[in-house]
Each structure stands twice: as structure tokens, then as C-alpha cells.
Amino acid sequence: MAVNAAETTAETTAGTTAGTTAGIDGIGIGIDPDDLPDGLVVADETGRVICFNAAAVRITATPSAQALGRPLELALPLEDLKGRRWWSLTDPYGGLAIRVGQPERNLLLPGGREVLVSARYVREAPTGPVRRVVVSLRGTEARRRTERSHAELIATVAHELRSPLTSVKGFTATLLAKWERFTDDQKRLMLETVDADANRVTRLIAELLDISRIDSGRLEVRRQPVDIAAAVGRHIQAHTARGQSPDRFFVRIQRRLPDLWADPDKIDQVLGNLLENAVRHGEGTVTIEVAPAPGTSDEEGTAVTVSDEGPGIPEESMGRVFTRFWRGSKRGGTGLGLYIVKGIVEAHGGTITVGRGPGGGAEFRFILPVGAPAYLS
């Protein structure tokens, strides 16, 4: 179907492409409706379909030959979620002359399949008769994935909060009711448990805030000089202080590392998460290597590799490691840490990959560019 540029001006300006011509910097560029990712259905001033692109065919399972030339309400029979015929309700060619279209909403195709539909009414004059009805169709799969992700996030948060809050409530209620019955050592143990559970809740809330900032592109990076070798040393000391044997860690630091400007707190978060994963889910020696990042460009960087000698990550799971709620084992965790790690590294302009280490276990490797001070960025 060919539509000239003059006829598509109003539709293109409105944000909906109904024809095959669009203007870019005054140059006409042909656009085939079948190249559009969304379904496109166009009806003329008589209400008969003159365009039914390939995506519309895929979404509706209606051949274009069967739709072209038919009245819009027959070629695209839609109902709202209450079973009412949508075209009868909206009456695009009648009703108020000031209407410009219909916002996107969930409607039903024959058979009950849901589809996201929006419509644009094209007029020659603001209150003139409708010359065309341009309908956009989209599947609901992407929205359903988002809804499932939100539901999983809520379920994870509820599950992770329930246990520590139950513990905090139980111990505080017991202490308040029976304070005099406990020895000082018993009271200390209870309060230490309450403190640990409160820290757990605080960490979860911090993770949720990080996810919100990553998803919205608002994760701030305040670059300062970072001694990444010293940061690795601090995390290993923390693990040994909690009972891990110093022999479990092997650190290899290559000298003459390039200067690194990064957010120290966020780099600590990345290192802490990767080391915690290696200790909790891996086995054997945990190897941490820090070296100048190899590359063919002039830009310098620092590469950090954390590997263990455990069973590793199955090949079929490699692509899902950095997604929300992925868990490599049943040894606890929210499944949010690696998603946040990836977001932090990418916010620094770096990259992170996962593979199999020399000892057979998981190997995480992230590369950070040198960067620039916060006041210069």
C-alpha cells in the first residue's frame, strides 16, 4: 500500500506511522509498514481497511488478504474485558469531533487473546470528519514479563523480610516481658541476634533502592581515587575475621596498575558480593586477580577476576546469571546481588562477564576504565 507524504504528515506528527513515507530533514525516506515492529491497521474515511501489516497478521492470526477492504469492525473484531464490542463503544467516525484517538488499553481478540490497542483519528481540520483511523497493535508478552518481575520482587521482599522481622519481634517481645529472668549473656545473645537481623533488613532495603536506581538510570557514581588492591585486602580480612581460613584466599596483584577513579563504596559493594558468592556457593581456593585490563584501544583500565574451585555454573544458566532472582544454589540469598553488581559496573562504563575458572568453578571478571574525577564528569 502506498500513501503519499502529504497524507501522512498529520499521522507522523501525532507519533503514528500510517503510510510508507516519512520526512527526515526534508528528505523523503520510504518505510514499508511490514518493517514496523508493532501491528499497524489503517482504515480510510469509509471505515474500510487499507493497510494490515505483517505484525498485525502475526498478532491477530488474520491473513492480510482477508482483512484488506473489509470494514474495520469486521477485519479487527475487538472486545473490552467486559465483553463489549470496542468499535461500537468508541464509534471513531461519529461522536465528538474533537476526539483525536484512544489511549492504549487491553482488549480481546476472538478466542480471548489479549492485545494492547491504541488508535489515532486523523482529520484534515481539527474538528473535521475522520479521514483515517490508525490502529497500533502490540502483544502483551512484554507487559506480562514486567508484571511477573514485579510480582517476583514483591514475593522475594516479603519472604526475605518475614524471617528477620519475626525474629526481631520475638526476641524483643520476650525481653520486654521476661527481662529479669535472663542472664546478661542470654540478653547479649538475643540483642546480637536482633542486631544481625536488623542489618539484614537494612541490606535488603539498600538492594531494593539500588535496583530502583539502576532500572530508572539514576544510579549516581561519585568518582574518587580507588586503591582496588587495598579494597580486596579489606574484604579478605573481613572474611577471615568471620571464621574463614586465610589459606582459602589466594591474591595475585600485578603491579603498575593504572590509576582508577571510581565510586569507592560501590566498588566495595561489587567486591563484597563477588567474594561472598565465591565463599558461600563455591568450594576450594578463592582466587582474586587484579591486573591492567588488556585491550586494543588506548583507554586504560583495571581487570578484577574472582574465581573458585566449586562445581561452577551450568552452561545453560550462564545467560541468566546477571538477571533478577537468579540463584546458583539453595544456600540462601535474594538473587538480586549479581543484578546490582552488573548495574554498578556498567554505571562506571565497565563490563562484567561470567565463565568457568581454571579450577572448574565460577569465574567472574569485571573491567573498569580509568574514569575521571567526579568534578570533571
Side-chain angles (χ1 to χ4, degrees):
M1 182 199 72
V3 182
N4 64 44
E7 291 176 333
T8 61
T9 300
E11 297 153 19
T12 305
T13 303
T16 307
T17 304
T20 59
T21 306
I24 300 178
D25 295 332
I27 302 174
I29 297 178
I31 298 176
D32 188 340
D34 288 342
D35 292 337
L36 298 175
D38 293 338
L40 175 67
V41 181
V42 183
D44 62 14
E45 65 271 10
T46 67
R48 294 189 176 274
V49 174
I50 59 174
C51 176
F52 203 85
N53 75 346
V57 172
R58 173 177 51 80
I59 292 170
T60 64
T62 300
S64 58
Q66 183 178 326
L68 291 173
R70 299 187 72 194
L72 183 58
E73 64 271 17
L74 298 180
L76 191 62
L78 296 167
E79 295 181 351
D80 66 11
L81 300 183
K82 295 181 180 180
R84 298 174 296 186
R85 296 183 181 277
W86 194 59
W87 297 116
S88 299
L89 288 174
T90 57
D91 190 15
Y93 293 93
L96 294 174
I98 60 173
R99 295 183 304 165
V100 295
Q102 295 290 334
E104 187 175 74
R105 66 191 63 196
N106 268 36
L107 296 175
L108 300 176
L109 291 166
R113 182 181 176 188
E114 288 190 25
V115 63
L116 297 171
V117 181
S118 58
R120 186 75 180 173
Y121 305 156
V122 181
R123 308 173 189 268
E124 287 184 340
T127 58
V130 174
R131 290 189 63 252
R132 288 192 181 174
V133 175
V134 182
V135 182
S136 174
L137 305 174
R138 292 196 298 129
T140 59
E141 291 81 5
R143 178 173 290 186
R144 289 188 181 278
R145 285 195 297 269
T146 300
E147 291 173 350
R148 282 197 299 269
S149 178
H150 289 165
E152 289 174 353
L153 181 60
I154 292 172
T156 298
V157 171
H159 174 77
E160 293 295 327
L161 286 176
R162 183 182 297 115
S163 176
L165 290 179
T166 300
S167 172
V168 168
K169 177 63 177 175
F171 279 122
T172 53
T174 301
L175 286 171
L176 288 172
K178 303 175 181 179
W179 179 268
E180 301 297 336
R181 299 186 184 182
F182 296 107
T183 65
D184 288 344
D185 288 341
Q186 290 172 324
K187 292 174 184 176
R188 175 176 292 277
L189 177 61
M190 290 184 182
L191 289 175
E192 287 175 347
T193 304
V194 169
D195 182 64
D197 286 333
N199 288 336
R200 180 177 167 187
V201 172
T202 301
R203 284 195 302 270
L204 177 59
I205 293 172
E207 287 183 343
L208 295 175
L209 289 173
D210 285 336
I211 287 176
S212 174
R213 296 186 184 107
I214 290 169
D215 288 346
S216 62
R218 295 185 293 105
L219 186 66
E220 294 184 1
V221 174
R222 302 185 181 277
R223 297 181 186 270
Q224 303 174 34
V226 173
D227 185 343
I228 200 159
V232 170
R234 288 196 304 272
H235 283 281
I236 291 176
Q237 285 182 347
H239 280 284
T240 56
R242 292 196 293 266
Q244 291 292 329
S245 170
D247 294 335
R248 187 171 183 191
F249 300 96
F250 177 73
V251 181
R252 184 185 297 118
I253 308 287
Q254 292 192 24
R255 297 306 171 187
R256 295 184 179 178
L257 293 173
D259 294 334
L260 177 62
W261 290 81
D263 190 314
D265 293 336
K266 290 182 172 54
I267 298 304
D268 270 344
Q269 193 173 351
V270 170
L271 290 171
N273 195 292
L274 294 180
L275 284 172
E276 179 70 23
N277 277 352
V279 169
R280 178 185 294 180
H281 304 293
E283 297 173 4
T285 301
V286 176
T287 301
I288 305 98
E289 182 175 2
V290 183
T296 57
S297 65
D298 294 333
E299 184 178 10
E300 294 182 319
T302 300
V304 181
T305 305
V306 179
S307 60
D308 62 73
E309 298 175 339
I313 298 171
E315 291 293 333
E316 62 272 15
S317 299
M318 290 286 187
R320 297 186 287 111
V321 167
F322 297 109
T323 59
R324 292 185 188 181
F325 311 116
W326 184 85
R327 294 178 176 88
S329 70
K330 298 181 180 179
R331 299 181 187 176
T334 62
L336 301 174
L338 290 175
Y339 178 82
I340 294 171
V341 163
K342 183 174 185 288
I344 290 174
V345 170
E346 291 181 347
H348 281 80
T351 59
I352 184 167
T353 56
V354 62
R356 190 169 295 279
E363 178 181 274
F364 290 89
R365 177 183 177 85
F366 67 92
I367 298 176
L368 298 173
V370 169
Y375 61 84
L376 295 179
S377 59

